[in-house]
Amino acid sequence: MVVVTEQHKPNKTHILIFPFPAQGHMIPLLDFSHRLAVRGGGSISITVLVTPGNLHFLRRLLSSTAGEINPLVLPFPSHPSIPNGVENVKDLPPSGFTSMIHALRNLHAPLRSWISEHPSPPSAIVSDIFLGWTHRLGLRRFVFSPSAAITCCILNHLWLEMPTREKPGDDNEVLEFRKIPTSPKYPWWQVSTIYRGYVDGDPFWEFIRDTFRDNWASWGLVINSFSDIEGVYLEHLKRDMAYDRVWAVGPILPPPGHDNDRGGPTTLPIDHLMTWLDARDDGHVIYVCFGSQTVLTEAQVRALASGLEKSGTHFVWVIKDSACDTIPGGFEDRVTGRGLVIRGWAPQVAVLNHRAVGAFLTHCGWNSVLEAVASGVLMLTWPMQADQYTDANLVVDQLGVGVRVCEGADSVPDSDELARVLAESTTGKREEKERAKKLSRAALDAVGESGSSTKELDAFIEHVVSLGQAK
Ligand code: AWU
């Protein structure tokens, strides 16, 4: 009698991860990759696709996952609208997103070759919402959304139904999304920047449209959100998409001990910053940061500096290198001892988690919103573009954990009114602060051992491994 024992270990399921080269998109997908590798418990092997100019962003990920994650470096495809040497949206103007979406399509052929020549090719690809064409690589494609579920609902509606305006000249014309829960509505100027740029009949824009439509035609969706804050929108996505394979795995946060080098080296030595914060009273510091893309105008910098000065509050203000020369003369001297200006990049998650930080003046990029929710910090909202108006409305009107300060990329707040709101945010006993603390516990529970997002991550892993084994 021959006893057959299952000697072979089941092959690891090989997953290809393809982030979009913009900090707000790469940061969550790379941290998700880390969670996937750790939680996958050896059943998954991961390849992360980057171009040479973005390889350094993988340094922490590769060193902290002991060989379970490998880089695939493909040359950046040249593009007439992207200067030589630029491979990340951070070095492009805001309109650079669509040029980058277009340029990366030219990785299709080299990527197809790599897959066909690979000894154990990936059975699935998880790629950013801006990389819809990866749905056509012959792999099961999972969309990764670094934005909110409500944003996915709105983008699906916009690109599948292509609503037109009744009053093309009126930027205040309101678009209402009646098929989406809560029937969100926005003036035209707050609708997706990319959608508003669409030109019918132009091959460039028809490719952009098809990129979003390919998300809807893909196999599944992994999203950086969680059911306690977006349950209705997640359920709507499961019904509204062509598939119900939707996994909410957020808030995606840096691995323990890595909250101070996320997305790039901090400009100020971390111990200097932490010592400065340690010297402040609990909840008395306002953190001011507008994400990785937004650069304030000179008038906005002046109004913000004046508001911070008049408010008498303690603050940490992160300002882009390109805007530093607009800081009013003498400002930093006049706020010495209570204000710290960081030129460049700050360890945002480490700062938000510090006990001294009580409020966050933010543009409401989705990563910043989730990080503020997880740290229980009151948000002072100033949305600028893209999905930030949707995020700000969710934060203020639905979750009740934020206060409106301003809105619009060209708006300039009144510095006296701004000073009043800033002062109240760290001294007032606002009910929004109580709600923020409560929501923080829900966010951390969601990614805890028995939390909803951890369960969804495990379900995603089980699903992808089963697909790999069925191949
Ligand atoms: P965040 O999403 O907050 O903002 P953007 O960089 O603008 O990213 C999409 O990404 C958003 O939904 C869009 O609206 C668009 C974009 N950070 C840091 O650690 N230090 C800094 O000095 C500045 C930023 C981190 C921050 C966050 C990320 C920014 C998904 O906004 O912690 O993780 O960079 O992402």
Side-chain angles (χ1 to χ4, degrees):
M1 177 180 77
V2 177
V3 178
V4 178
T5 55
E6 284 293 329
Q7 296 296 339
H8 69 89
K9 275 187 65 179
N11 289 332
K12 287 190 174 186
T13 299
H14 186 184
I15 300 176
L16 176 63
I17 303 265
F18 188 177
F20 183 79
Q23 256 67 336
H25 291 243
M26 290 186 81
I27 285 173
L29 185 45
L30 294 183
D31 281 340
F32 171 73
S33 303
H34 183 274
R35 284 268 286 158
L36 197 55
V38 170
R39 199 78 194 171
S43 60
I44 286 177
S45 71
I46 294 173
T47 298
V48 178
L49 167 53
V50 290
T51 55
N54 292 297
L55 181 56
H56 68 283
F57 288 115
L58 300 191
R59 180 186 46 75
R60 166 163 65 80
L61 179 64
L62 299 177
S63 61
S64 60
T65 46
E68 289 185 39
I69 295 183
N70 298 294
L72 166 59
V73 185
L74 293 181
F76 186 83
S78 62
H79 188 275
S81 305
I82 297 182
N84 285 336
V86 171
E87 298 182 23
N88 192 299
V89 170
K90 68 182 171 62
D91 302 316
L92 291 173
S95 60
F97 267 80
T98 46
S99 303
M100 187 60 80
I101 293 173
H102 220 253
L104 291 174
R105 171 183 61 167
N106 296 327
L107 286 179
H108 188 284
L111 186 47
R112 235 336 310 136
S113 306
W114 176 81
I115 292 168
S116 55
E117 290 156 17
H118 198 287
S120 51
S123 53
I125 178 170
V126 180
S127 58
D128 187 90
I129 197 168
F130 284 157
L131 299 169
W133 59 266
T134 54
H135 157 60
R136 305 167 187 276
L137 284 166
L139 305 176
R140 293 283 194 212
R141 190 249 174 158
F142 297 85
V143 186
F144 176 78
S145 173
S147 294
I150 184 174
T151 295
C152 293
C153 294
I154 290 170
L155 289 176
N156 282 341
H157 179 86
L158 288 173
W159 292 105
L160 290 173
E161 309 208 4
M162 304 293 284
T164 51
R165 301 160 73 184
E166 286 163 23
K167 297 176 249 172
D170 176 7
D171 278 358
N172 289 313
E173 177 185 357
V174 173
L175 243 64
E176 187 169 1
F177 299 89
R178 292 192 183 88
K179 294 180 183 172
I180 298 173
T182 72
S183 300
K185 55 187 175 185
Y186 307 93
W188 175 254
W189 67 273
Q190 290 188 0
V191 169
S192 158
T193 316
I194 295 179
Y195 182 76
R196 284 187 288 122
Y198 180 78
V199 178
D200 199 16
D202 177 331
F204 178 96
W205 285 101
E206 286 178 345
F207 169 74
I208 299 292
R209 176 201 62 202
D210 294 345
T211 277
F212 283 98
R213 290 182 170 178
D214 277 342
N215 292 327
W216 195 79
S218 293
W219 181 255
L221 167 67
V222 177
I223 186 163
N224 186 15
S225 188
F226 63 106
S227 49
D228 277 11
I229 59 170
E230 285 207 287
V232 287
Y233 302 115
L234 289 165
E235 286 314 307
H236 180 73
L237 275 175
K238 288 176 183 173
R239 289 193 305 276
D240 192 43
M241 301 289 273
Y243 48 79
D244 63 355
R245 292 177 292 271
V246 176
W247 294 272
V249 297
I252 296 175
L253 298 168
H258 282 288
D259 57 0
N260 57 20
D261 64 353
R262 200 183 195 212
T266 64
T267 318
L268 202 64
I270 186 80
D271 52 0
H272 176 112
L273 175 54
M274 291 297 128
T275 304
W276 190 94
L277 288 168
D278 290 345
R280 314 291 136 183
D281 293 339
D282 287 10
H284 270 67
V285 174
I286 299 172
Y287 173 63
V288 181
C289 186
F290 292 86
S292 66
Q293 307 286 331
T294 302
V295 180
L296 299 183
T297 63
E298 183 168 355
Q300 290 170 332
V301 169
R302 273 204 308 273
L304 184 47
S306 174
L308 286 166
E309 189 169 347
K310 290 183 221 175
S311 70
T313 57
H314 292 245
F315 62 87
V316 172
W317 179 7
V318 188
I319 192 163
K320 292 285 175 302
D321 292 328
S322 53
C324 288
D325 55 5
T326 60
I327 298 173
F331 166 71
E332 291 178 85
D333 296 336
R334 296 192 298 272
V335 296
T336 293
R338 66 179 178 89
L340 187 61
V341 175
I342 297 178
R343 290 164 168 78
W345 193 263
Q348 177 157 304
V349 173
V351 171
L352 287 172
N353 286 338
H354 195 285
R355 57 157 185 77
V357 175
F360 176 18
L361 176 51
T362 172
H363 69 321
C364 300
W366 188 242
N367 295 291
S368 291
V369 166
L370 288 178
E371 290 154 10
V373 165
S375 58
V377 171
L378 170 73
M379 278 174 265
L380 306 174
T381 67
W382 183 352
M384 297 273 182
Q385 59 164 336
D387 54 345
Q388 294 153 24
Y389 301 102
T390 304
D391 299 346
N393 291 353
L394 184 79
V395 163
V396 175
D397 302 328
Q398 295 186 52
L399 301 176
V401 293
V403 174
R404 277 189 181 82
V405 164
C406 195
E407 59 180 22
D410 302 322
S411 303
V412 180
D414 170 78
S415 60
D416 290 328
E417 173 57 16
L418 178 60
R420 186 189 65 75
V421 175
L422 291 171
E424 196 181 79
S425 73
T426 57
T427 53
K429 188 109 180 71
R430 300 196 66 114
E431 57 188 25
E432 292 88 353
K433 296 176 88 161
E434 296 314 308
R435 280 196 285 267
K437 292 289 176 224
K438 192 167 168 237
L439 197 57
S440 164
R441 288 190 291 274
L444 297 178
D445 286 349
V447 289
E449 187 49 38
S450 56
S452 62
S453 295
T454 302
K455 285 177 182 159
E456 296 215 25
L457 173 59
D458 290 346
F460 171 73
I461 291 168
E462 192 180 331
H463 180 83
V464 170
V465 170
S466 65
L467 283 182
Q469 287 169 348
K471 241 183 51 169

